Amino acid sequence: MRHVEQPPGGTGGRVHSHAELLPWSRRTENRARGLARKHHPGQVPPVMTCRFLAALLAGALLPCPVAAQFLPLTVPRGHVGMELHTGFTSWDQRFRNGTSEPAGTDLSRIGIGGDWLPALSSADLRLARLTGLTGENLNAGSYGVAQLTTLGELGLGLQVGLTSRLTISGLVPLRQVRVQSVTGYDSTGANSGLNPADPGLGSPAGLSSTLAFFLEFDAAIAGIENRLASGTWSGSPVTEALAMGTLTDARLMREDLYALLVAAEIRSPFIPLSGSAVGAALLSRIGELQGRIGTGLGISGFSRQPALPTAAPTSEDWTRYLTNGDGPVAGSLLAPTYMALGDIELGASYLLVDRFGPTVSGTQIRAAIKGTVRLRTSQLDDPNRFLDLGTGDRQPDAEVTLVTDLAKGRAALRLAGWYTRQLAGNQQRRIGPPDRPIQDLATLAALRKDPGDIVGVGVFPGYRLTPTLALVAGAEWWTRGDDNYAYADGQPALEGLDPQTLAIESAASAVTVRAGLTFFHPGDRTVGGSGAPLAASVTWERVVAASGGRVPKAESVRATLRIYSRFW
């Protein structure tokens, strides 16, 4: 159940590549073609030999002029680029409305009441009618969750240059999800306990005692009705009026008490302690009604009281409330570590302008446009696990990215902009606002989610330290629109539950900063021989600011290795 947020941008499985400062110029292309001719057609050059590894270590010291630092979104005609992406992202804090707070805030509450647990809200209304007290709401103690989320990433990519300007690509992302948590419960301030009559949370003795109370209550109501119908008090208008008023009060009290204590799906899991102000007032009102029936009307046999808890919940009681399969929530605090596919990407890039290379004087420029489609191949979070996180959003995306590279001498600048149209997909969700994540199992429904679209821009400067090594930096800003939820086709609407409450505060914006190093060797300066071009990068990034809804304050380290080979 996603009370652990997805990483920034909400595009699970996506490997960001806008800021990679790795070169491929036309001069590099010519070198690659020359290397390919030294091998048989279709044979991949031996890139991972001892000679090449030696070149990887020494390449930064060898004279090897490079036309630019950036890796464009296209690969030259007849060439294949094979990529390996790896890295991890972690966070234990998040931004909400521009303020940093612990990632487990939604699952933490000091003074658990009806503003957090929906069941207690309806219980407060019934207790106010039953006792006449106002402002004495149920308090079930305090609960806190500290969590650390870590996502491991492994992406396998392939790029094929169909023409000198057109490249097709694919990426298969694997993600390992790990959520570590520490939970704590404190009963200080609690004025309620687990309902003894709840079949899943109480006890057989508590249920038996409460049911016996209602048997006596029903018999007393029936006795009043029978005497009024037979005219027992017709000769005493005062007594008859008392009987009619008592019958009305008894019926109303019985209805509220039964809904509070026993009625399936609406009974409250927590009810007042017998020694609390609310509990004492409730027992007093019941006793007052019993006195009117017994003493005022002469109907005996109604003397029992319903079972109320005598002690505040323990940590074990709270865990049982959340996880008991026979209870109203039937959830889980477990979050097993697992690895699964993210959303597979398929794309095509077209080189619009290419004025890079040793023959270009002054400022060099290159621009490319890329279209990407993400498939619904990821694994969603389990709606019954409150700390679970999926490996993606499991709904199709269509993205357009425009990248422009500028370079002069050792300095370079990449400008990127993108628009992501996030298409709708079906999900199983418990319906409720994001800041009230503990919802009963009865709120689970099949929903149609249409995520908000994403628009982003990025600026990434780079500086070539040596012919093969470049320093990179940069920042990107993105904004995501509001999500929309509706019942999926075939799912009956649940009474009183609006799926759109899940979209509260779903719009968000964020700023991410990056820094790293990139390495590129064209392959013709290897020690004692030649090989294929190779590119590598290591990048650190962090979300430093956000506004709107919930955005993980994530920190990431990613590494990319790319090798090229000519196939035709």
Side-chain angles (χ1 to χ4, degrees), residues 231-240:
T232 301
W233 299 301
S234 59
S236 175
V238 174
T239 304
E240 188 175 39

Side-chain angles (χ1 to χ4, degrees), residues 26 29 72-80 159-169 347-354 367-371 568:
R26 292 196 181 276
E29 177 182 350
L73 294 176
T74 60
V75 173
R77 182 177 64 86
H79 286 75
V80 173
Q159 299 176 335
V160 180
L162 298 181
T163 72
S164 60
R165 292 183 177 271
L166 180 62
T167 295
I168 58 173
S169 60
S349 305
Y350 187 79
L351 192 61
L352 301 172
V353 179
D354 186 13
I369 187 170
K370 181 179 181 180
W568 71 85

Side-chain angles (χ1 to χ4, degrees), residues 409-469:
R410 290 176 175 266
L413 179 67
R414 167 162 285 183
L415 305 174
W418 63 94
Y419 168 74
T420 305
R421 174 67 177 99
Q422 299 201 94
L423 304 176
N426 288 353
Q427 300 182 355
Q428 291 280 334
R429 284 284 173 265
R430 297 187 184 212
I431 300 175
D435 61 350
R436 300 172 69 175
I438 299 179
Q439 299 289 334
D440 288 353
L441 184 61
T443 66
L444 183 65
L447 303 179
R448 186 75 168 170
K449 178 185 178 183
D450 186 1
D453 294 347
I454 301 172
V455 176
V457 294
V459 179
F460 310 104
Y463 186 80
R464 196 173 69 245
L465 302 175
T466 74
T468 57
L469 192 66

Side-chain angles (χ1 to χ4, degrees), residues 169-223:
S169 60
L171 176 67
V172 179
L174 294 173
R175 274 189 161 187
Q176 183 186 62
V177 178
R178 184 184 187 191
V179 180
Q180 298 168 275
S181 64
V182 177
T183 62
Y185 175 79
D186 185 0
S187 62
T188 301
N191 65 359
S192 64
L194 290 180
N195 183 352
D198 189 298
L201 304 175
S203 65
L207 177 60
S208 176
S209 176
T210 297
L211 291 179
F213 162 78
F214 279 107
L215 287 176
E216 289 187 358
F217 203 159
D218 291 342
I221 291 174

Side-chain angles (χ1 to χ4, degrees), residues 374-386:
R374 294 187 185 91
L375 310 180
R376 49 188 311 273
T377 55
S378 60
Q379 178 173 314
L380 286 173
D381 54 288
D382 187 338
N384 297 320
R385 297 183 186 272
F386 297 116

